[in-house]
């Protein structure tokens, strides 16, 4: 009976999705009306003279496009405990702390129950489509999820990461129960204050019920790769724990020790089996299916800044499919992957028209010549065009410029299917050169092929503009596996330089308006230190994104990088 209900629910969900996406234009109007009506008493909206109007035309005429900076004074009042209706009708009692790793600055984002509902809706929608292609039956999930620290702002508002706000919602377990396979890790492991200890125990919990694990997931793919890189370091210790039924002394947190002691008992047979499997692998290729023989897929956000980790993930996953999940942010969800069989590199996301009111600024308007930006509506976007995403959500963000650039790849019924391209802020620029995080990613991908020939890989990378000497130059930091020769690294450096094909960069390099690109090799573990630095600031490991360009103001990250440089190389291109 239970299975029938679950199946029925899932089909219902897909039907609802089809109905709403067929009528996206009207659904958008209704969504906007709902948001504006519920929040009509908010000071922000009152001051803009909408006077009860909820139609898109009046909305666009009265409400300005904003960035986080514009809303910051309002949000700061909420954080400081002002409970008057500032941005929303009902007071905001929780704040999500965005990772800030892509933009360099953590943001405080209003969080409320309506955002929780949209989160559940998007998880359920993606799950329904995923489950249609890859059904999970009576299995468990190994989910590398970590709840960040919860804190109380001085005004009493709870501050946590968006993922922690989701997990701690009393409705979360219930809402997800029918759809998700239960996680294999106890609550105390997820909510541990120490992510290293959580991660170790997540791995241990997964191994203890290895046959039951049918899916492996995290919010962003980085955490899954990070988890299996950690496995490479600690596998023997994990096996000892299983063999002896005693938890490693590295786990010191009492609540985790208590929770894990309920699961652990001596199991030499399982320990031997896992040991045999591990030593039988070549360079850990296919580790995931070897450890978890019934795993159906690996799932997490794998596009955008996560794409550089897909190769490594595929190495661990062997033949197991990699599924990218949703597209969203701490500010709110945007779209769902309804074609899970498509490889992450080609994946698109379908915008859910009922979860927010969406607008799109054509990228051509952002070249600096247009005085007034004119975003288009959700159903008016054009296939093949690039846009910056703007949304109005039920938690007090109105015409909010998210700072992401997407390409419209097609339509699902009448709602667009988009591909995430990049963050909109330009990253690498010295004079007339303009290189985005995609250009950097492509350059690193190309150069790392030279390393791959030597059976080595780039573990992680970032960049920096060095203006300490005239002319300035690009610096790229690499952490690599293995030991590459100076010759190979020198070639990689020149290749990095040559792979930036932006006309402004190439011409500046040729006339020495930009000096030779520098590759700085950093010690193993440097990027882990950067991750730890962000975790210390309250970022959830599962939301972490390596900053791809470090601003001079980001002194701590810069210090970590500079202290760990072991070698540097200069490009010989354009000599
Ligand atoms: P945060 O609010 O810190 O979780 O970060 C949200 C940002 O992560 C978004 O604005 C995007 O830049 C990025 N992001 C989220 N989902 C995806 C996705 N599916 N593909 C690519 N980038 C994504």
């Amino acid at each position: 009976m239970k299975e029938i209900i679950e199946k029925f629910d899932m089909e219902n969900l897909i039907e609802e999705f089809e109905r709403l996406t067929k009528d996206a234009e009207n659904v958008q109007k209704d969504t906007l009306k709902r948001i504006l009506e519920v929040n009509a008493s908010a000071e922000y909206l009152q001051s803009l003279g909408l006077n009860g109007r909820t139609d898109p035309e009046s909305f666009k005429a009265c409400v300005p496009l904003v960035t986080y900076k514009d809303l910051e004074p309002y949000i700061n009042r909420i954080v400081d405990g002002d409970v008057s209706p500032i941005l929303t009708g009902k007071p905001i009692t929780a704040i999500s702390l965005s990772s800030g790793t892509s933009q360099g600055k953590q943001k405080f984002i209003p969080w409320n129950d309506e955002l929780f509902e949209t989160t559940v809706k998007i998880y359920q929608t993606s799950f329904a489509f995923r489950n249609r292609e890859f059904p999970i039956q009576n299995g468990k999930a190994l989910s590398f999820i970590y709840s960040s620290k919860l804190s109380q702002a001085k005004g009493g508002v709870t501050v946590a990461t968006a993922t922690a706000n989701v997990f701690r919602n009393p409705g979360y377990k219930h809402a997800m129960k029918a759809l998700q396979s239960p996680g294999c890790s106890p609550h105390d492991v997820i909510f541990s204050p120490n992510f290293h200890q959580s991660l170790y125990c997540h791995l241990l919990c997964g191994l203890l019920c290895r046959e039951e694990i049918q899916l492996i997931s995290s919010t962003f793919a980085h955490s899954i790769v990070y988890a299996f890189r950690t496995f490479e370091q600690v596998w023997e210790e994990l096996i000892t724990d299983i063999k002896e039924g005693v938890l490693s002394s590295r786990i010191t947190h009492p609540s985790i020790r208590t929770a894990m002691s309920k699961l652990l008992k001596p199991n030499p047979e399982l320990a031997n089996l896992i040991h045999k499997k591990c030593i039988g692998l070549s360079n850990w290729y296919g580790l995931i299916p070897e450890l978890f023989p019934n795993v159906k897929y690996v799932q997490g956000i794998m596009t955008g800044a996560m794409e550089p980790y897909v190769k490594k993930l595929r190495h661990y996953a062997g033949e197991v499919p990699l599924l990218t999940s949703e597209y969203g942010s701490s500010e709110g969800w945007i779209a769902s992957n309804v074609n899970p069989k498509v490889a992450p590199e080609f994946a698109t996301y379908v915008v859910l028209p009922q979860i927010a009111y969406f607008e799109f600024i054509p990228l051509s308007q952002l070249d600096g010549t247009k005085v007034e930006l004119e975003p288009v509506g959700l159903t008016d976007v054009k296939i093949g065009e690039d846009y910056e995403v703007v949304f109005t959500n039920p938690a007090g963000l109105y015409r909010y410029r998210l700072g992401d650039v997407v390409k419209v790849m097609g339509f699902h019924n009448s709602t667009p299917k988009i591909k995430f391209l990049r963050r909109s802020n330009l990253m690498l620029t010295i004079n007339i050169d303009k290189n985005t995080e995609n250009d950097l990613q492509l350059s690193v991908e190309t150069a790392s092929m030279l390393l791959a020939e030597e059976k080595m890989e780039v573990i992680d990378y970032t960049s920096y503009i060095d203006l300490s000497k005239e002319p300035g130059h690009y610096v790229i930091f690499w952490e690599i596996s293995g030991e590459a020769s100076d010759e190979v690294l020198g070639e990689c450096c020149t290749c990095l330089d040559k792979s930036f094909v932006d006309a402004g960069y190439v011409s500046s390099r040729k006339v020495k308006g930009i000096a030779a690109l520098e590759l700085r090799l950093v010690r193993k573990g440097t990027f882990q230190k950067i991750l730890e630095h962000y975790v210390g600031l309250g970022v959830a490991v599962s939301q972490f994104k390596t900053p791809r360009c470090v601003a001079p103001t980001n002194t701590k990250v810069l210090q970590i990088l500079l202290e760990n440089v072991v070698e540097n190389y200069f490009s010989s291109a354009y000599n």
Side-chain angles (χ1 to χ4, degrees), residues 142-328:
L142 170 53
S143 298
F144 295 103
I145 51 177
Y146 311 86
S147 183
S148 60
K149 277 184 273 184
L150 299 183
S151 60
Q152 217 78 19
K154 54 181 185 280
V157 174
T158 305
V159 181
T161 57
T163 33
N165 276 327
V166 173
F167 302 150
R168 74 188 181 89
N169 190 296
Y172 178 70
K173 250 190 175 163
H174 176 70
M176 304 312 288
K177 206 171 169 190
L179 302 178
Q180 283 275 23
S181 358
C184 62
S185 305
H187 178 275
D188 288 296
V189 167
I190 300 168
F191 283 82
S192 150
N194 179 308
F195 90 88
H196 292 294
Q197 299 192 13
S198 280
L199 168 51
Y200 184 90
C201 292
H202 277 316
L203 287 168
L204 190 54
C205 292
L207 293 176
L208 290 173
C209 56
R210 60 185 286 274
E211 302 229 343
E212 290 166 80
I213 299 294
Q214 291 192 14
L215 80 104
I216 293 179
S217 71
S218 188
T219 313
F220 285 96
H222 171 273
S223 322
I224 312 178
V225 171
Y226 188 81
F228 287 101
R229 282 196 195 277
T230 304
F231 180 88
E232 288 188 33
Q233 313 293 322
V234 299
W235 67 283
E236 285 168 298
E237 206 171 320
L238 288 163
I239 288 175
T240 307
D241 290 6
I242 296 172
K243 189 171 181 178
E244 294 171 2
V246 180
L247 190 60
S248 157
S249 59
R250 73 161 69 216
I251 309 301
T252 52
H253 216 268
S255 64
I256 311 194
R257 289 201 74 85
T258 312
M260 291 303 294
S261 67
K262 291 183 190 141
L263 303 177
L264 266 176
K265 52 178 180 312
N267 192 339
E269 205 180 313
L270 178 63
N272 284 342
L273 180 72
I274 296 170
H275 187 265
K276 216 189 266 166
K277 300 229 169 246
C278 287
I279 56 171
L281 289 171
S282 159
N283 195 22
W284 303 103
Y285 176 82
L287 171 65
I288 289 175
E290 213 42 47
L291 293 179
F292 310 106
N294 296 313
V295 74
K296 300 270 194 344
Y297 55 86
V298 178
Q299 171 230 321
I301 293 171
M302 296 184 191
T303 43
M306 295 297 123
E307 228 178 280
Y309 308 110
V310 168
K311 202 163 155 226
K312 186 68 182 173
L313 199 50
R314 204 165 267 139
H315 179 85
Y316 286 132
E319 300 292 309
V320 177
L322 303 184
L323 274 53
T324 186
S325 40
E326 295 90 11
Y327 168 37

Side-chain angles (χ1 to χ4, degrees), residues 99 301 303-304 326-330 349 404 420 423 543 545:
S99 67
I301 293 171
T303 43
E326 295 90 11
Y327 168 37
S329 63
S330 303
Y349 301 93
D404 283 350
F420 178 90
R423 300 288 304 166
Q543 259 177 282
K545 296 163 215 75

Side-chain angles (χ1 to χ4, degrees), residues 541-558:
V541 183
S542 31
Q543 259 177 282
F544 176 76
K545 296 163 215 75
T546 298
R548 295 296 181 208
C549 182
V550 183
T553 46
N554 200 346
T555 44
K556 182 67 201 167
V557 171
L558 212 48

